[in-house]
Every structure is written in structure tokens, then in C-alpha cells.
Amino acid sequence: MSSAEPALPAPTGAERRSRLRRYQAQLLERMHDAQSGIAAAGRELGVQFGASRCLLDLTQIGEIVPWQPVSPVPLARDWYLGLANIRGQLTGVIDFARYLDYEATPPAADSRIITLAPGLGLNCALLGARVLGLRKHDDMTPAPLADDVPSWCVQQFLDQEGQLWSRLDLALLVQEERFLQVGL
């Protein structure tokens, strides 16, 4: 007799939906905690844009989706890639590395599109070279802001390897005139 356990049957559609609902509820709870400062205080999403490592406030982002085709928009700036259909909604996609004057981000398996939270009032997303996971401020050392950083770069930190991280305030970014002027 074999002591191997029998293979579990594949989950049904109802089981998948139930798991998805539980997962969404957990995400909502985490987002609520992030907004109220409970448990997730000082935790932000690390994203690489060109050569920059950036921290994004979890309350200012919507979702993170893999790279998908973008329909170009004529007469747009080189950093404005165009429109993507994200969950049935047309969303403007910005190559944020290009916006920061780095080389364009080539679509790759690690590339991610990070949508802005609906509360920011701008239906757009930032293309990042890769998501670097959650980061805690407590694990980093505050660094003085350089004189030439934009107003939406609100803090900088050095990690344990000596790499510089810039904390971005996306609410300030979406108010910047240059960011709003995607046309040539």
C-alpha cells in the first residue's frame, strides 16, 4: 500500500471566486490599514524606473498589472506611451523612466504597469522596469534631498547596500504641469 495522499481535485469556479473574494478582502484590509497607519506604517512599494529606485505610497496606487499592449496616441510626448485597456477601462500609460529623462523602458517579463489610485483623479498608470516589493522606512537611513529634485520627490533614503531610494508623492506628481501636458 502506498502512503501517498490522493491528488486533490482542481478547484471549481465557485471555489476560485470564493478564494478571490477572500484575497480581495485581505487586500482591502491592508489598504485600509495603510491609510490609517496601522501595521503597515512606513511600508511602501519599491519600483525601479530607469536607474531610479522609488517608493510609492500604497494608498496612492491602484493595481499592478503585467505589461500589455498599448495603443499609441499621435502627437504625444515620447514618455506618453498611449492607452491600455486595463480591466475594461482605457488608461493612459506613461513610461516614467523616460519622463525622468532615462532611456525608454523596454517591455519585458518584469515590466509592470502601476495604475494610480482613483482618488488622485487622473486615470493613468506608470510603466516600471520591475517591482521590487514592499520596503520599510525603518530598514533605511534618511538621506538629505538633493537641491534639484522635483517637488513630488518628498524624501530620500539609503538602504543597507547604500542604494538611494526616492519616495514619491503621486498626488503632487499629478498636479505638475509637465505631467499633465502629454501632447506636443
Side-chain angles (χ1 to χ4, degrees), residues 140-163:
M140 298 182 186
T141 305
L145 280 173
D147 292 333
D148 61 344
V149 298
S151 63
W152 40 265
C153 178
V154 293
Q155 285 180 295
Q156 290 187 313
F157 299 92
L158 291 173
D159 65 14
Q160 294 174 351
E161 290 84 38
Q163 296 176 331

Side-chain angles (χ1 to χ4, degrees), residues 112-130:
R112 293 293 181 263
I113 297 173
I114 302 152
T115 65
L116 302 186
L120 295 179
L122 196 60
N123 188 25
C124 74
L126 306 176
L127 173 63
R130 61 190 178 124

